[in-house]
Amino acid sequence: MDNLLQQNLLYLYHNKIDIFHAVQGHLAKELLTTFELQNDNNGNINVSYLIDDKIHWLYAEDGGDVEDWLQKHSNLAEGSYDIVMYGLGLTHHLAKLIAQSSALNFYIIEPEIDLFIQVLKVIELEELLEHPQVKLVEVGNDNETFARFHNLFNTYSEHKSIEVYIPYYAEIDIDSMKEFYKLNYMYKEDKILKFSYENLFGTQPYRNSIRNIEAMIRADSIKVLKNKYVDCTALIVGAGPSLEKDVELIKQYYDKMLIIAAGSSIQSLLHYGIRPHFIVSMDPGEANGRVFCEVDTSNIPLVFTPTIYDQILNNKFLRLFYAFFNDNSITDYLFSDKEIDYRLDSTVTVTGTAIQVARYLGAKVIVLAGQDLSFPNDNYYAQGAGHGDMNDLNKKIKLSDMEIENVQGGVNRTNYSMKIALENIESLLSTMRDVQFINTSSLGARIKGADFIPFAVMGRQLSDAPYNFSNLSNISKELTIGNENYDILLSKLVNLTQIFEGFIFNNEKSLKIIKKIDGLSRISPNKAMNQLVKLENEFSKVTDHAMFKSFISRWSWGLTNKYDQQVIKIEAEPTMIGKAKLLNQIVVPYIKEINKSIMDIQAEFQDLIKKLTLSKEKIECKKG
């Protein structure tokens, strides 16, 4: 056994260094062994473990537990699936599934390092890890290992995923299992959201983030608003149907609350004659632009994020304040020299952004009105909202086949995007222990973390506000942007354009190398292999570059995600002719599309450089 253990450790050292370090680190601790290899009464190798002073065995002596488990998963023999398998044990369950179908791909997490060490004593690890159906094995039960597993799985998985677990792992450590599946859900949800976001908006959020730079440096950051209304009550208004029931009460208590219109609710509020103290907007699409087409916002300040549809900033607002999201690579780079303490968590709904803004301004009580996050009585918006096509909205409602509990104890019709928005807000609320949340949306979904209190009751609890929320004159502006700031931005933009020109140059060289590989693959496989190494070095100059990862892979997220899924096939292909074919099918189209993306970004940068240069010249003229 010791010889096999050393052989497996040597294999891990050369091929799976992360697992090797995890195993070595565990062995170095010299902990008492939780699991022990033993022969059962039938002479078969089994593993015993101790829980609550009682000895348990991984496997029943007659093997009936594995057969029963296999029977429960007999449906897996009927299709091609990517199996997320929690637990490896002595590989008996895995072996049965592999024997059952060659159309299954396995992504395995072994949470018990101690048990995995016992496995290293009795199986040929190379045979397991190099099996064509075993795509991934990770070992450990810490969040870093779980996160790495889910990230890799969601990158490379191509088929419908099925989750299976070996029953005794629930007995060994149910808390680790729960954490694994919680993270699994989060990563799957994140991938779905990214696909949906790209399908809905394309590259518009990134174009906006570039186009809005010039407006941002003429605006104020929300840093000047920090804690300006300490301990106030803020009202975050959504455009849900229940807003109509609270309108008169909002008017009644207008002076006692900081009223923030979340996105499109500005239409409904102005429709009812209510002027909010702030508007918060972030959505990148043209539909958001329509929200501001028919409303007068000249006496209302706007808080916006760089992703906002760029035409909106051409409207008149009392004042403009910008805030950064914590995942915007464009503004991260261009404003890296600025001291920023006001990054907001990126949220799927503007309500989440507005909540963070309210807290940043000092609110200790945040009230949610018109935040139905569902379709109460099969309605979408409150009156006054006119930016959406009614036929499209009615179709969405009719196609919504999900239900959610409402604040009255009944159910509302909802859909997946509304459900995700609700969960996103609930997750945000759970992180804000210093704020009390109240939900007055009398027709809407129940929001975990926000007590439902009717507006009439909540309003009577409001104390006289010490602030004049409509008076912004006492809030100082940031220092005027000077030539130095423009020079810094222009220098960074010029540097970026040069880096991107280098990417195109490297990509063109890579395409030429692929042509060579294609020609050599039939007449000189060894020379073709040398060219393949050259290609990897050349193309990695692009894909490994920080600016590629920050800008281009996000700009073309769906394209890059598909490429990452496909490119691993090249390494697995045994012949040079086959590799050359895959290079032309996978890498060549990707490089060509990436070059198009780079040229699109370059065009946006050039336009921004012209705007900044013109603004700088105007400042110089005024000074002159």
Side-chain angles (χ1 to χ4, degrees), residues 36-48 56-65 90 92:
E36 185 176 351
L37 286 172
Q38 294 188 32
N39 291 325
D40 61 25
N41 292 330
N42 293 326
N44 297 318
I45 295 177
N46 207 330
V47 176
S48 65
H56 299 257
W57 294 87
L58 286 192
Y59 303 100
E61 290 187 9
D62 62 0
D65 56 332
L90 294 181
H92 298 340

Side-chain angles (χ1 to χ4, degrees), residues 94-108:
L94 174 63
K96 290 287 186 180
L97 285 181
I98 287 177
Q100 181 174 271
S101 173
S102 61
L104 302 177
N105 298 313
F106 294 92
Y107 296 78
I108 304 163

